[in-house]
Each structure stands twice: as structure tokens, then as C-alpha cells.
């Protein structure tokens, strides 16, 4: 499970994410990003667990709320499953089994929270 922390500082959105998939220390990535309010923030998740881990889930947890699934992505498929989530607000790519990206568009104070990725076989 990867962990992404999104905070708002003044007019800047501060993004810190640490990514790692469950059951393994073979996945770790820490990044720090500064984004302006209104900008788009793209975070990525990678692993070296092999091609059988071709699915990736992206979640977010807003302060005081439970973790919610935003999108379920599958390698080789363009139309990822956003369920009830807004496709205007979020986008995701899954170019290959070992990597994926997630974008939050038009960053607002309400986007502050923790973002997670999880890979599954
Ligand atoms: C954010 O992404 C959207 C859709 O891809 C694009 O239209 C918009 O120009 C981007 N905004 C910024 C600030 O880059």
C-alpha cells in the first residue's frame, strides 16, 4: 500500500508521497512535490513484483473520513473503472504491469489528505 500525503500551505499544495505495495519491501518510493492551487498533481507508483501484478487501485482518505476507492486500473485497458468518482477531477494511467500514475486535477484545499496506491495480482 503506497501512502501519499497532500497538504495545502498558503497558495501552494504540498505533496508528499511514499509508495510501497503490500507484502514487500521491493517497492518503495518517496517523493516531494510543490503544486499551486489550481494545478494538477500527478503521483506515480512502481513496483518490481512482476507482470502478474497488473492491477492497481488508488485510494484517498480525507481528514476525519474513511479511505475511499477512487479508481481501479488494469494494465492494457484505457477506460479505467472510476465508479462514482469524477473523471473530471481524477485521471489514471497504467502503461504496464510495474507502473501506474494517478492525477488529481485542479487542486483545492479540500484535496488535502492521504493518497494510497495498491497493486494486486
Ligand atoms: C490539468 O489537466 C487538464 C486535463 O488534462 C488540462 O486541461 C489543464 O490545462 C491542466 N491544468 C494545468 C494547470 O496544467
Amino acid at each position: 500500500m503506497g501512502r501519499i500525503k497532500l497538504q495545502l500551505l498558503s497558495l501552494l499544495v504540498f505533496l508528499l508521497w511514499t509508495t510501497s505495495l503490500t507484502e514487500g519491501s521491493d517497492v518503495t518510493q518517496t517523493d516531494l512535490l510543490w503544486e499551486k492551487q489550481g494545478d494538477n498533481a500527478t503521483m506515480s507508483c512502481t513496483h518490481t513484483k512482476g507482470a502478474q501484478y497488473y492491477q492497481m487501485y488508488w485510494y484517498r482518505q480525507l481528514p476525519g473520513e474513511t479511505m475511499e476507492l477512487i479508481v481501479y486500473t488494469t494494465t492494457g485497458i484505457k477506460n479505467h473503472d472510476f465508479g462514482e468518482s469524477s473523471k473530471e477531477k481524477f485521471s489514471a494511467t497504467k502503461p504496464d504491469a510495474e507502473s501506474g500514475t494517478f492525477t488529481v486535477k485542479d487542486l483545492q484545499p479540500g484535496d488535502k489528505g492521504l493518497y494510497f496506491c495498491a497493486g494486486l495480482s
Side-chain angles (χ1 to χ4, degrees):
M1 188 73 88
R3 180 171 160 277
I4 297 114
K5 194 177 184 183
L6 186 64
Q7 292 188 325
L8 186 80
L9 285 175
S10 179
L11 285 176
L12 294 171
V13 172
F14 169 73
L15 273 157
L16 165 68
W17 70 83
T18 305
T19 60
S20 64
L21 300 192
T22 43
E23 336 160 0
S25 53
D26 51 348
V27 188
T28 309
Q29 184 181 319
T30 308
D31 271 298
L32 195 57
L33 241 192
W34 290 87
E35 299 284 357
K36 284 190 185 128
Q37 189 169 349
D39 274 0
N40 303 329
T42 297
M43 48 207 91
S44 59
C45 205
T46 60
H47 68 82
T48 53
K49 295 175 74 69
Q52 71 272 29
Y53 285 76
Y54 64 97
Q55 301 171 87
M56 193 173 279
Y57 294 80
W58 289 91
Y59 300 86
R60 85 165 170 184
Q61 185 169 22
L62 298 178
E65 296 186 17
T66 55
M67 196 162 73
E68 58 172 334
L69 176 66
I70 305 286
V71 62
Y72 158 58
T73 67
T74 310
T75 305
I77 289 179
K78 251 202 175 125
N79 295 315
H80 301 299
D81 189 353
F82 284 83
E84 311 265 292
S85 303
S86 168
K87 286 185 192 166
E88 268 87 64
K89 182 69 181 174
F90 306 106
S91 66
T93 68
K94 190 80 183 78
D96 52 61
E98 304 201 329
S99 66
T101 71
F102 179 67
T103 299
V104 184
K105 295 180 226 174
D106 189 22
L107 286 170
Q108 296 299 321
D111 294 320
K112 172 180 169 177
L114 290 170
Y115 289 74
F116 302 86
C117 73
L120 279 184
S121 59

